[in-house]
Amino acid sequence: MWYWLFKYILLGPLLALLGRPKVEGLENVPDDGAVILASNHLAVMDSFYLPLVVRRRITFLAKSEYFTGTGLKGWFNRWFYTAVGQVPIDRTNADAAQAALDTAQRLLDDGKLLGMYPEGTRSPDGRLYKGKTGLARLALQTGVPVIPVAMIGTNVVNPPGTKMLRFGRVTVRFGQPMDFSRFDGLAGNRFIERAVIDEVVYELMRLSGQEYVDIYAASLKNGDGDPSGRSATRIPETAAG
């Protein structure tokens, strides 16, 4: 109940006013059945604008830190993120990563619409970063279609590093469903999983017009990457349709 109250009454109207969202390709999202929505990740508000424009309820896998706070603030965060359709996952080690995939698979087995961010974390500078293979493994294990989603302008409405919201123009662009059935039985093959996630990220680059950097966003945030963008490539904005 709270999910729909936030979407249509408590939060959605404010977001619509601030971001004036423009939606393209929404017809690519089916009315029912399990689907993975694979989105680029520019701002916290990605997880709010995407559900705002999709008729079905979306469940996101969210880092467990959102749910483990203490005191009144911790209680409110747990309630709020649960209410808006997020499920906690622990990302601290390999066992936790597998548990997260198991949770995601159960949601898809129930026919849910699952939102995932292939980059694994928000972009630190608006560029598109190398995808992690968990999404690819999940798609191969379940056989469900992957729909790439380009979020554009959410980092203007919700600038990185700030909790303030500003006026801007958000575009949510849905690509064609991607079918990886040609790789049936190859889940767990790291070369195939890398090929699958690279294909998904390429579609995100094409849809968003972002510059692509061939390192993990988390590596750059931790100071392990190359912030110069020497390994970057770009598809012109006009190629994104």
Side-chain angles (χ1 to χ4, degrees):
M1 178 186 72
W2 281 109
Y3 181 93
W4 304 110
L5 285 174
F6 274 113
K7 179 172 180 176
Y8 291 115
I9 298 176
L10 300 177
L11 190 58
L14 174 62
L15 295 179
L17 176 65
L18 290 171
R20 298 173 296 144
K22 176 184 177 183
V23 186
E24 301 175 8
L26 184 58
E27 66 277 5
N28 292 325
V29 181
D31 292 333
D32 52 49
V35 175
I36 298 172
L37 296 180
S39 173
N40 62 332
H41 201 10
L42 296 173
V44 171
M45 284 295 109
D46 294 330
S47 298
F48 296 88
Y49 275 102
L50 184 51
L52 183 64
V53 303
V54 175
R55 290 182 291 271
R56 295 176 59 187
R57 176 168 179 155
I58 303 174
T59 300
F60 287 93
L61 300 183
K63 60 183 180 180
S64 59
E65 291 89 331
Y66 289 157
F67 299 82
T68 55
T70 58
L72 183 60
K73 182 179 179 181
W75 174 87
F76 177 80
N77 283 342
R78 284 192 296 277
W79 170 79
F80 177 76
Y81 284 108
T82 300
V84 297
Q86 304 205 18
V87 174
I89 58 169
D90 184 351
R91 306 180 300 177
T92 56
N93 55 51
D95 289 339
Q98 184 57 53
L101 289 178
D102 292 343
T103 297
Q105 181 157 355
R106 285 196 298 272
L107 292 168
L108 292 172
D109 288 344
D110 290 338
K112 304 294 187 182
L113 192 60
L114 181 67
M116 296 185 70
Y117 297 112
E119 295 165 275
T121 188
R122 294 190 301 277
S123 171
D125 54 17
R127 296 185 293 178
L128 183 68
Y129 284 81
K130 186 175 182 179
K132 297 192 173 183
T133 57
L135 185 149
R137 179 171 298 190
L138 185 62
L140 294 173
Q141 286 177 345
T142 61
V144 305
V146 176
I147 297 178
V149 186
M151 307 297 296
I152 303 169
T154 50
N155 55 338
V156 175
V157 174
N158 176 210
T162 177
K163 296 181 180 180
M164 296 297 294
L165 297 180
R166 303 175 182 175
F167 287 99
R169 186 63 190 269
V170 171
T171 297
V172 185
R173 183 176 291 146
F174 297 87
Q176 294 285 337
M178 304 178 73
D179 177 13
F180 297 105
S181 59
R182 64 188 185 278
F183 297 126
D184 279 352
L186 294 176
N189 182 310
R190 62 189 182 94
F191 297 106
I192 296 299
E193 290 176 355
R194 173 49 56 191
V196 167
I197 198 62
D198 284 350
E199 190 173 333
V200 171
V201 171
Y202 179 85
E203 277 301 296
L204 291 177
M205 182 175 67
R206 188 185 68 82
L207 289 166
S208 68
Q210 286 173 279
E211 179 181 336
Y212 174 73
V213 186
D214 195 28
I215 59 174
Y216 294 116
S219 296
L220 182 58
K221 289 181 176 181
N222 294 333
D224 301 327
D226 175 14
S228 69
R230 287 177 296 177
S231 58
T233 185
R234 181 178 178 83
I235 288 184
E237 189 71 36
T238 54

